[in-house]
Structures are given as C-alpha cells and as structure tokens.
Amino acid sequence: MNSPDRFNRNLSLLAFILGLAAVTWVAVGYVGGSALAFTVSCLIATVYLAGAFEMRRFHGSTSALARALGNIPDEVDNIGEWLQQVPVNLQNAVRLRIAGERVVLPGPGVTPYLIGLLVLLGMLGTFLGMVVTLKGAVIALESTTDLHAIRSALAAPVRGLGVAF
C-alpha cells in the first residue's frame, strides 16, 4: 500500500471513529433523560454503522479488483481462470467489460439512501425537540404569572431545545 492510499485509509478510519464517538456521546448524554432522544440517537448510530459496513465491503471488493488487475498475465488463454481472482460480485461486470460492452461496475447500493435517512432522522429529531419546546413554553406561560415560577417552568422547553439541536 503506497503512502497516499495509507493516508486516505487512515483519514477515513479517523473520520469514522470521530463520527461514531460523536453519536455515542450524544446517545449517552440522553441515558435516563429523554427516551425519545436516546432512541433517535441509537437509530442514527445503527444507520451509521450499516453504511460503514457497506463501505468497508465495497472498499474490500475494489482493492481485490485492483490486485487482480495488477496480476494480469501477458498471455491470457482462459479468461475464467483470471476472473477467479476478481470478487464474485464484480465478475460478471468485469467479464462484460473485457468483452467490450459498456457496463458500469457495481457500487455501494444502500449507503446513498442511508445518508438521506440520516439527514431525515436529524430533521425528525429537530422537529420533535421543537414540539417539546413549544408545548413546554405554552404550559409555562399559561400556568402562572409569577416570574420565578415561569423561570422554573421554562426548564422543560430548554430541555426540548437540547433535543432539537
């Protein structure tokens, strides 16, 4: 593995670890506090891990294909023998490309959808937090005219903002 590949691999691993640490930190912060926020955080962590596993599998297939392409003999008598070095999920596409057809190699299938799902889960968390905030603010303002009581009653809406953001 050359230096730029090692750097990219280490950078990707660092980004994955930092992302997982951030999601875990947020989820742990809600243990015993807000069951809804904890559940959404755990769901985000699950989707994050599913995408990471798919990208790991894709990277492994791509690396194996690169090794197989580096080991092409000068004279290939039987293409089937050489294709055994190529990952199974890429063999048909590689065979068709060798035959001269314009075929796209398969890429990650689920990860692009998981990215959209993560964005939607984040928006859902923001929406639910804002609902909790507004509900708490309305209750606080309707229940009393005492300034001290209003301050303590606004603690729930502030927690709702914490869930939202």
Side-chain angles (χ1 to χ4, degrees), residues 2-20:
N2 60 19
S3 183
D5 289 339
R6 183 173 290 128
F7 177 75
N8 287 340
R9 180 172 168 79
N10 289 340
L11 188 62
S12 296
L13 182 61
L14 179 64
F16 168 73
I17 290 170
L18 288 175
L20 188 59

Side-chain angles (χ1 to χ4, degrees), residues 23-48:
V23 170
T24 303
W25 176 64
V26 169
V28 168
Y30 287 117
V31 170
S34 172
L36 176 63
F38 178 73
T39 303
V40 171
S41 298
C42 288
L43 187 57
I44 288 171
T46 302
V47 171
Y48 183 78

Side-chain angles (χ1 to χ4, degrees), residues 23-160:
V23 170
T24 303
W25 176 64
V26 169
V28 168
Y30 287 117
V31 170
S34 172
L36 176 63
F38 178 73
T39 303
V40 171
S41 298
C42 288
L43 187 57
I44 288 171
T46 302
V47 171
Y48 183 78
L49 288 172
F53 285 129
E54 183 182 33
M55 291 307 295
R56 175 100 170 104
R57 184 185 53 79
F58 175 73
H59 177 71
S61 295
T62 303
S63 297
L65 177 61
R67 283 190 302 275
L69 290 172
N71 294 332
I72 296 176
D74 292 334
E75 304 249 346
V76 179
D77 296 329
N78 185 358
I79 195 71
E81 290 176 19
W82 176 79
L83 276 175
Q84 295 304 315
Q85 299 176 37
V86 176
V88 175
N89 60 332
L90 300 176
Q91 285 180 1
N92 189 41
V94 170
R95 180 181 290 114
L96 291 172
R97 281 193 155 208
I98 291 171
E101 294 190 35
R102 298 178 76 166
V103 177
V104 176
L105 292 173
V110 178
T111 301
Y113 299 105
L114 293 178
I115 292 168
L117 180 61
L118 285 173
V119 171
L120 290 175
L121 285 172
M123 290 171 50
L124 175 66
T126 302
F127 175 74
L128 292 174
M130 294 304 289
V131 167
V132 169
T133 300
L134 294 176
K135 180 179 171 187
V138 167
I139 291 171
L141 294 175
E142 287 179 346
S143 65
T144 186
T145 58
D146 181 29
L147 184 60
H148 182 61
I150 290 175
R151 280 186 182 170
S152 55
L154 286 176
V158 171
R159 282 194 302 273

